[in-house]
Amino acid sequence: MATAEAVDVRNVTTIGHVDHGKTTMMDALLAANNIISSRMAGKIRYLDSREDEQERGITMESSAVSLRFKVMERTPEGVDPRPKTYVVNMIDTPGHVDFSSEVSTASRLCDGALVLVDVVEGVCTQTITVLRQAWQDRLRPILVINKFDRLITELRLSPIEAYHHLAQLIEQVNAVMGSFFASERMEDDLRWREEREKRLAAKKESYAEQIDATVNEEDEYQEKDDEDIYFAPERGNVVFASAVDGWGFRIGKFAHLYAVKLGIKEANLRTVLWGDFYLDPKTKRVISYKHLRGRSLKPLFVQFVLDNIWAVYDAVVTNPNPDKVTKIISTLGLKIPEREQKSKDTRQLLSLLFSQWLPLSTCIIQTIVDIVPPPSAAQRVRIPKMLYPDIYESIIEPTNKVEEDLYSCNDAPDASVVALVSKMFAVRTKELPGRKKKALTPEEMRSRAKAAREARAAAQAPETAPSEASSVPLEESLQNVDLNDKQEGPVDVEEEDEETLLGFARIYSGTIRSGTTILCVLPKYNVALGPMHPRNAQHIVAAPVEELYTMMGRELVAVESVRAGNVFAVRGLEGKVWRSATICAPAAQGVGIGEGGAPDLEGAQNSVLNMAGVIRYAAPIVRVALEPEHPADMPKLIRGLKLLSQSDPCVETFQQKTGEHVILTAGELHGERCIRDLKERFAKIEIHASEPIVPFRETAVKGIDMPPPKTANAKRGTMHGAVAHDLLKFTIRAAPLPPAVHEFLLDNLAILRRMQQERKEGEEERAREEEDAQDDDSYDVQGDYIKKPTIKAEHFWQELEERFKKAGGEWTDVADKVWAFGPQRMGSCVLIDVRGGKPNSLQQRFAQIKAGEAVKDQDSLTGAFDNHLETGFQLATFQGPLCAEPVEGMAYFVEDVTLDRSGIEEEQASNRTAHLTGSFISAVRDACRNGLLDWSPRLMLAMYTCDIQASTDVLGKVYGVVAKRRGRIVAEEMKEGTEFFTVRSKLPVVESFGFADDIRKRTSGAASPQLIFSGYEMLDLDPFWVPTTEEELEDLGEKADRVNIAKAYMDRVRERKGLFVDRKIVEFAEKQRTLKR
């Protein structure tokens, strides 16, 4: 069995906010393909195949299904339309924010997207996120306005009100698309100006004698048209639907119905059926709003479309009227049995009536065929962006044979095989097609039944007189039955419980066949160096294609080969591919195997590409430590964690320095799913999970009533230190960074990270290779919120200098004296060298590395201790004084370092250098920490942005839950024409566990929150504050009856880390009384 040709294939994903009806709509398409019963469509949610998905009613994993549909092909007039079979590969994705990585893996494999929007809730947070993903991946979107029935049954709008509501909704979605277009054009404009300036500069240099250099006319800025990006019903890329009732339509459907009646051409009617166009009752002509002359006419869309739908709902559901229903059925020419018409189940009758009049599946499939381009056309636009992520032209010409094959989606046997594995997913081994128990044939069933009868007869017969019927002894016949059972499924019990990892992939060119050998190009492969380069050796591996499958939701169908343009699953990559890879081979026969079983890389040299790239998803923020109930099960837990990490693109697993095994997940729901998977599928052991570990940050501010500085006659934050009988003396002063500088550094952490990598590369090539090996697919486990940089890397120092100058005072000339950033050399803390003489300048060091010069150090002794001082600073900022969490927004001025050279040389001669350097690093670390505590210390909490949609009657309860968890309301706005409010609030991550369940319980399920990590925010409360003034003592008493929240958070983290906690064992001792006898 092979897959379809690329011309007749469409690859589409369903995307949208949570609970907007994606999986329900997929049911309608599955029912049209006879995979499920049409009565069950919308109720069964077939693609939610996990038990917890069915329990919660939300999708958690994307699942694919290949459907076949016959569509009447459009032909020139006079020629009879012929049916044509199309294969539509659909991928259903989750809408919950915790599983947004599933959306990005699915959208990379598709050419089009069905964007579902709830007609009442409108554009929500995830709607914007998924639209942005579709825009970045160059998918052709189709807008599906779902849950249309809610306008009639819930909001009870009139048709004209519903029309205005729909127009506003389409306008909102188009505004989102317009904002993406505008931001892209602004980037284009900036880049064009920079390139133009470069060209001018080059021209001036080449024509030095000319005073002015002019630019060629053809170099003018090219404007782009944004006409194609918007949704417009008359264009056919908007579907109005109610998935639960199984109906949907486009403008074209009604234009086709009314064209003959009105005597207007179908194409003309389609353009005026949406918008402010009216039918003049006298002249029977279509007029625009300009010719209304004060008459109150209904727009065509209301008159011809909405009035009819409202009439059906009114007759069937709102005010049931059997006579009207009969009339509607006869008018529309539908075939509905009498029995169904008399049914008391009005929703079933409604569903039957609509599924014949406006079937959802037909509408969706026709839209997909019309709007979404076939792979051969789509890849021409999408592949350049995948191969060259930094290009800005929409179409570029192919430069070699592989690119030609990719752009044209060539599936010939000699075409290069290129496929993208976007993620790995786990399937139980016993559920693979080859391992399933086969259904018994009638003959086998008859022989088994005969053997069982004979066994029963033998058991019932008296021992003395054995009858002839029991010619086979009982034990033998039972053995026969058992043997037959065993022969049916020769699979080991252990193997049945195993999990097999399959690759979720799309083939872009060539034909892939099972049994061949292919090359897996891993994300860190560098195309510029070629496959033979030693740096690329570990990023390219050969793997056998053991099996190929077409995905059918929870089922897999084995196929021999897959042609270009199709989505498929592949077995054989386990242990070779971690999460994503590009599959390459020079032709359908696969890669040749050379001597010693090594793949022939030279022969495949021209067909190796890297389309996977290293994808960075939203940083997982919720951290949970795991341990098995029985310590002997630790190997099973480690293997389970490895499987979990491979099968879920958004989970990170690692072992902490303390030896704990930790998983990082995107949110509470994601964490619950991961632990359940570990227990039931991957590790199959009982697991103890710790309380969620949430990261904090530490900082300091200038408080109002601070105690006097710790060091007398010196500025606040100054700390003097001495090591080993004053052999080394130093002075370090801590001060909070100006807010503008702190904000700038936080916005540009990505640039600091890149600079650090460049520094490593410049200093030592070998270190880079080691880092590559370790850092494969890792990311910052500190939970840093990495934003997109606000400036370009080359302007970083210039901008930093300007920010310091604006701050004024002692900060004016600090930029050149910046010695290091911390923690981990890329945070928002700064070490500044203000000693006399030439300062340690990071900026100059980078300039020297870039220029390829050797970094000039001071004499070796000073240089060595400078390095140790920087190490002490990095340690102090990595683990702050409050609860050993990273520090943010602090500057540390190195004012003086004095070395007793003769004493140090004596120590070196006595071989006590290690003790000296260790003491020095510890002393610097403690000085930095004490310097921070000299100011007013503060904790910074990780924060979620929380979006909640709630109706007016439960709004108060929502506010109550948010306030109880120390959140604050940022904004609230009412959706026009509805009674729904969208409430946006900020909520500490540490208080968010159980928040979703709590809010659902309090509001009886009427409100559900979406939580998105949004960085860190300061808790403006000193953890060491105690009442001191008379007013405070009068208010709160000596014991401070009100709990200090900052101290409670700090103590909780210190306790978890095993640090000392200053807690009173006996509180309110004077209130204790002797018990009565």
Side-chain angles (χ1 to χ4, degrees):
M1 179 182 168
T3 49
E5 279 186 43
V7 184
D8 305 334
V9 176
R10 298 291 186 274
N11 297 304
V12 183
T13 177
T14 56
I15 55 178
H17 192 75
V18 68
D19 283 336
H20 279 201
K22 297 178 290 298
T23 310
T24 309
M25 191 192 70
M26 290 297 296
D27 273 6
L29 301 179
L30 292 162
N33 237 228
N34 298 324
I35 293 171
I36 59 171
S37 151
S38 56
R39 274 179 177 269
M40 294 306 291
K43 302 180 186 77
I44 192 173
R45 298 198 319 281
Y46 179 81
L47 291 180
D48 284 353
S49 50
R50 295 170 57 98
E51 193 182 325
D52 46 359
E53 287 181 326
Q54 289 288 345
E55 280 172 13
R56 289 179 178 272
I58 61 168
T59 307
M60 295 187 188
E61 278 182 358
S62 52
S63 40
V65 63
S66 289
L67 306 173
R68 286 174 184 268
F69 292 95
K70 279 191 177 176
V71 178
M72 298 307 279
E73 202 176 359
R74 284 196 177 144
T75 52
E77 287 183 21
V79 181
D80 290 335
R82 298 187 308 276
K84 187 176 180 182
T85 304
Y86 286 93
V87 172
V88 180
N89 296 315
M90 302 285 297
I91 302 179
D92 181 35
T93 63
H96 196 283
V97 66
D98 280 12
F99 310 110
S100 50
S101 60
E102 294 279 348
V103 179
S104 38
T105 54
S107 70
R108 301 180 86 202
L109 304 182
C110 294
D111 302 321
L114 292 171
V115 183
L116 276 89
V117 178
D118 184 326
V119 72
V120 176
E121 291 185 7
V123 177
C124 298
T125 46
Q126 277 302 100
T127 315
I128 298 169
T129 307
V130 296
L131 275 170
R132 184 179 288 111
Q133 187 69 51
W135 174 267
Q136 286 168 353
D137 288 329
R138 296 186 174 181
L139 305 187
R140 188 67 64 83
I142 296 164
L143 179 64
V144 180
I145 296 177
N146 194 23
K147 304 196 181 184
F148 207 93
D149 53 299
R150 290 182 73 185
L151 293 178
I152 307 166
T153 56
E154 215 173 288
L155 298 185
R156 300 189 180 279
L157 299 183
S158 66
I160 190 78
E161 288 170 336
Y163 166 69
H164 290 306
H165 182 88
L166 290 168
Q168 275 182 343
L169 178 55
I170 293 171
E171 210 170 285
Q172 281 175 2
V173 181
N174 282 337
V176 173
M177 296 302 286
S179 69
F180 299 152
F181 180 80
S183 63
E184 194 175 88
R185 297 311 291 145
M186 283 165 75
E187 281 179 17
D188 277 1
D189 184 40
L190 178 67
R191 197 182 55 260
W192 179 82
R193 284 174 196 282
E194 285 175 354
E195 283 173 6
R196 183 171 176 272
E197 281 169 16
K198 279 180 192 171
R199 282 201 302 272
L200 274 172
K203 214 165 198 184
K204 275 187 180 173
E205 280 176 23
S206 57
Y207 300 107
E209 66 279 0
Q210 291 184 15
I211 298 164
D212 286 326
T214 53
V215 175
N216 298 334
E217 287 302 313
E218 62 267 21
D219 285 345
E220 282 183 18
Y221 180 61
Q222 298 292 315
E223 286 295 344
K224 274 189 189 171
D225 186 20
D226 62 347
E227 188 68 22
D228 293 340
I229 68 166
Y230 296 118
F231 298 107
E234 63 271 17
R235 280 239 208 81
N237 60 1
V238 178
V239 174
F240 302 95
S242 170
V244 76
D245 289 336
W247 61 267
F249 67 88
R250 288 191 296 168
I251 293 288
K253 170 80 175 173
F254 283 91
H256 180 70
L257 292 173
Y258 284 106
V260 182
K261 275 188 183 179
L262 297 171
I264 303 173
K265 280 187 179 177
E266 189 180 325
N268 294 351
L269 185 55
R270 195 183 293 125
T271 56
V272 295
L273 205 47
W274 176 265
D276 294 334
F277 296 100
Y278 307 85
L279 186 70
D280 193 321
K282 292 177 184 174
T283 59
K284 298 289 179 194
R285 295 186 65 178
V286 175
I287 56 170
S288 71
Y289 67 94
K290 291 177 184 174
H291 302 96
L292 274 179
R293 299 193 186 92
R295 290 175 291 178
S296 59
L297 299 179
K298 290 179 181 176
L300 287 177
F301 186 71
V302 175
Q303 191 177 344
F304 292 150
V305 181
L306 297 186
D307 279 352
N308 292 321
I309 291 169
W310 256 248
V312 174
Y313 268 92
D314 183 61
V316 179
V317 179
T318 321
N319 304 305
N321 187 332
D323 299 337
K324 264 191 184 179
V325 172
T326 313
K327 191 180 176 188
I328 288 168
I329 290 168
S330 60
T331 310
L332 295 171
L334 310 177
K335 293 175 184 173
I336 293 176
E338 285 283 330
R339 177 170 48 85
E340 296 290 356
Q341 288 183 39
K342 291 173 182 173
S343 166
K344 299 286 183 195
D345 186 356
T346 52
R347 296 303 286 198
Q348 176 60 24
L349 174 58
L350 190 75
S351 180
L352 267 174
L353 199 153
F354 270 120
S355 61
Q356 288 189 31
W357 179 35
L358 303 170
L360 177 62
S361 56
T362 312
C363 171
I364 294 289
I365 294 305
Q366 190 65 61
T367 312
I368 287 171
V369 170
D370 291 350
I371 303 294
V372 178
S376 50
Q379 288 180 198
R380 190 89 184 79
V381 178
R382 292 190 63 234
I383 292 289
K385 187 76 174 167
M386 294 174 81
L387 291 177
Y388 312 105
D390 298 331
I391 65 145
Y392 300 98
E393 294 79 16
S394 54
I395 292 175
I396 59 169
E397 292 305 313
T399 55
N400 51 38
K401 182 185 176 293
V402 186
E403 288 187 14
E404 278 176 26
D405 292 343
L406 279 169
Y407 290 7
S408 60
C409 194
N410 186 358
D411 60 1
D414 62 337
S416 302
V417 176
V418 180
L420 173 65
V421 178
S422 76
K423 70 165 188 169
M424 302 292 283
F425 66 104
V427 175
R428 286 189 174 86
T429 307
K430 64 181 180 186
E431 289 177 8
L432 292 172
R435 309 297 175 92
K436 284 190 176 178
K437 288 187 178 179
K438 293 175 185 173
L440 296 177
T441 61
E443 288 77 18
E444 286 170 334
M445 290 169 82
R446 277 195 288 274
S447 65
R448 186 175 284 196
K450 186 180 176 185
R453 276 200 305 277
E454 286 176 356
R456 276 200 304 276
Q460 288 167 2
E463 287 179 20
T464 51
S467 67
E468 288 181 22
S470 60
S471 55
V472 181
L474 172 67
E475 291 83 2
E476 197 179 320
S477 59
L478 286 172
Q479 273 178 358
N480 288 343
V481 175
D482 288 349
L483 281 170
N484 284 344
D485 276 353
K486 283 173 189 168
Q487 284 164 4
E488 286 302 322
V491 181
D492 294 340
V493 176
E494 279 184 24
E495 196 182 32
E496 276 196 0
D497 285 345
E498 290 295 312
E499 295 280 338
T500 301
L501 284 170
L502 305 180
F504 192 90
R506 149 101 182 253
I507 180 163
Y508 288 101
S509 77
T511 302
I512 190 168
R513 295 200 172 97
S514 56
T516 56
T517 302
I518 44 91
L519 290 175
C520 297
V521 180
L522 304 181
K524 292 215 165 188
Y525 175 86
N526 188 340
V527 181
L529 299 176
M532 310 300 289
H533 196 280
R535 277 285 312 282
N536 277 337
Q538 59 188 348
H539 303 310
I540 183 165
V541 286
V545 180
E546 291 175 14
E547 290 274 349
L548 294 169
Y549 306 103
T550 295
M551 290 173 281
M552 299 297 292
R554 58 190 88 175
E555 303 290 327
L556 293 165
V557 180
V559 291
E560 278 301 309
S561 64
V562 181
R563 295 160 83 166
N566 283 286
V567 174
F568 66 100
V570 55
R571 184 161 72 91
L573 309 182
E574 192 168 349
K576 307 256 183 7
V577 174
W578 184 246
R579 279 182 181 165
S580 63
T582 312
I583 291 176
C584 298
Q589 294 82 28
V591 179
I593 301 296
E595 291 176 16
D600 176 21
L601 291 178
E602 242 177 271
Q605 192 156 4
N606 296 327
S607 59
V608 174
L609 292 169
N610 183 8
M611 293 166 76
V614 181
I615 316 168
R616 299 283 185 217
Y617 300 111
I621 191 70
V622 177
R623 183 184 299 214
V624 179
L626 305 174
E627 62 176 13
E629 193 171 288
H630 306 293
D633 290 334
M634 185 57 86
K636 287 184 181 176
L637 175 65
I638 293 168
R639 186 177 173 279
L641 284 170
K642 190 178 176 187
L643 275 170
L644 173 72
S645 184
Q646 274 187 277
S647 62
D648 188 333
C650 198
V651 75
E652 293 288 338
T653 61
F654 64 95
Q655 189 172 6
Q656 284 188 317
K657 289 173 185 173
T658 54
E660 286 178 305
H661 288 277
V662 168
I663 60 169
L664 278 123
T665 59
E668 188 185 5
L669 181 62
H670 187 214
E672 281 176 26
R673 192 197 80 179
C674 290
I675 292 168
R676 184 168 180 166
D677 276 354
L678 274 173
K679 284 180 180 175
E680 295 175 6
R681 293 179 61 188
F682 300 132
K684 297 191 183 70
I685 55 170
E686 280 305 310
I687 291 170
H688 285 310
S690 71
E691 288 291 309
I693 304 165
V694 177
F696 288 84
R697 292 286 180 271
E698 299 180 19
T699 189
V701 294
K702 187 177 180 181
I704 301 164
D705 296 321
M706 291 191 290
K710 290 181 183 174
T711 309
N713 304 322
K715 285 187 179 178
R716 184 176 291 279
T718 304
M719 292 291 142
H720 300 303
V723 178
H725 308 298
D726 293 351
L727 289 181
L728 273 165
K729 288 195 256 182
F730 62 89
T731 305
I732 290 178
R733 180 165 58 84
L737 271 176
V741 178
H742 181 205
E743 197 179 308
F744 170 74
L745 290 175
L746 284 179
D747 285 344
N748 296 287
L749 281 178
I751 292 178
L752 290 176
R753 179 166 291 191
R754 203 177 312 142
M755 279 160 53
Q756 175 58 20
Q757 283 169 352
E758 280 175 15
R759 178 181 170 183
K760 279 185 181 175
E761 286 168 17
E763 288 176 355
E764 196 173 353
E765 181 72 21
R766 186 171 52 78
R768 180 174 69 171
E769 290 184 16
E770 282 173 17
E771 181 217 351
D772 270 356
Q774 291 165 4
D775 196 43
D776 201 19
D777 244 349
S778 74
Y779 84 114
D780 175 35
V781 291
Q782 288 308 312
D784 269 336
Y785 184 53
I786 306 288
K787 300 178 188 173
K788 193 177 177 185
T790 53
I791 53 154
K792 296 205 166 182
E794 54 266 29
H795 301 148
F796 175 79
W797 291 105
Q798 189 183 335
E799 185 68 25
L800 183 65
E801 196 170 341
E802 280 177 25
R803 297 282 172 122
F804 274 128
K805 276 181 183 167
K806 277 184 190 171
E810 64 178 339
W811 305 99
T812 312
D813 56 347
V814 155
D816 284 338
K817 297 174 183 174
V818 170
W819 180 347
F821 294 100
Q824 295 182 318
R825 293 197 169 95
M826 46 197 171
S828 60
C829 289
V830 187
L831 183 65
I832 299 164
D833 189 357
V834 291
R835 296 175 292 181
K838 190 182 176 188
N840 256 321
S841 174
L842 188 64
Q843 185 178 356
Q844 286 172 13
R845 213 176 313 160
F846 278 130
Q848 286 171 354
I849 290 169
K850 273 196 173 175
E853 299 170 19
V855 179
K856 293 169 189 169
D857 266 336
Q858 306 115 324
D859 67 288
S860 58
L861 193 64
T862 314
F865 280 104
D866 277 1
N867 286 342
H868 299 324
L869 191 143
E870 190 186 330
T871 307
F873 158 75
Q874 296 294 352
L875 287 172
T877 52
F878 185 61
Q879 293 188 326
L882 299 181
C883 50
E885 291 284 315
V887 178
E888 258 191 21
M890 292 296 291
Y892 296 91
F893 295 88
V894 179
E895 295 186 339
D896 183 42
V897 177
T898 313
L899 307 176
D900 180 353
R901 288 179 178 277
S902 56
I904 291 169
E905 280 162 10
E906 277 176 32
E907 291 287 312
Q908 285 173 340
S910 310
N911 229 357
R912 288 203 294 270
T913 321
H915 167 69
L916 185 65
T917 54
S919 306
F920 180 55
I921 290 170
S922 301
V924 171
R925 184 192 63 195
D926 294 344
C928 290
R929 287 180 175 175
N930 290 330
L932 185 146
L933 292 174
D934 207 9
W935 295 86
S936 187
R938 294 285 186 272
L939 274 181
M940 295 184 82
L941 310 182
M943 298 297 280
Y944 275 138
T945 298
C946 170
D947 282 293
I948 308 166
Q949 284 224 332
S951 52
T952 43
D953 50 338
V954 295
L955 202 58
K957 291 173 181 171
V958 168
Y959 277 38
V961 176
V962 172
K964 179 186 162 193
R965 290 175 175 270
R966 304 196 176 98
R968 69 172 200 281
I969 306 297
V970 178
E972 63 165 28
E973 55 183 56
M974 192 173 188
K975 293 261 178 195
E976 281 187 37
T978 71
E979 55 170 20
F980 282 92
F981 276 87
T982 302
V983 178
R984 174 162 283 202
S985 61
K986 283 284 184 81
L987 188 77
V989 175
V990 71
E991 297 286 353
S992 70
F993 302 104
F995 175 69
D997 288 340
D998 197 4
I999 213 160
R1000 269 198 290 270
K1001 281 176 193 164
R1002 293 291 182 89
T1003 62
S1004 308
S1008 62
Q1010 286 275 85
L1011 299 167
I1012 301 163
F1013 180 57
S1014 66
Y1016 293 87
E1017 210 170 87
M1018 191 169 71
L1019 175 64
D1020 201 8
L1021 194 62
D1022 189 336
F1024 302 116
W1025 178 85
V1026 286
T1028 47
T1029 63
E1030 279 185 27
E1031 281 178 26
E1032 287 167 353
L1033 287 165
E1034 195 177 315
D1035 255 1
L1036 303 164
E1038 284 180 30
K1039 303 289 181 294
D1041 295 338
R1042 192 177 61 202
V1043 177
N1044 184 335
I1045 303 160
K1047 188 174 190 314
Y1049 288 150
M1050 182 180 83
D1051 287 350
R1052 207 186 301 172
V1053 177
R1054 290 184 72 90
E1055 200 169 352
R1056 192 190 78 228
K1057 292 184 175 182
L1059 303 171
F1060 170 71
V1061 178
D1062 180 21
R1063 185 176 289 143
K1064 288 181 182 174
I1065 306 299
V1066 177
E1067 287 197 54
F1068 310 115
E1070 71 274 10
K1071 292 185 183 176
Q1072 293 186 355
R1073 298 281 181 272
T1074 309
L1075 292 172
K1076 288 182 182 176
R1077 292 184 183 281

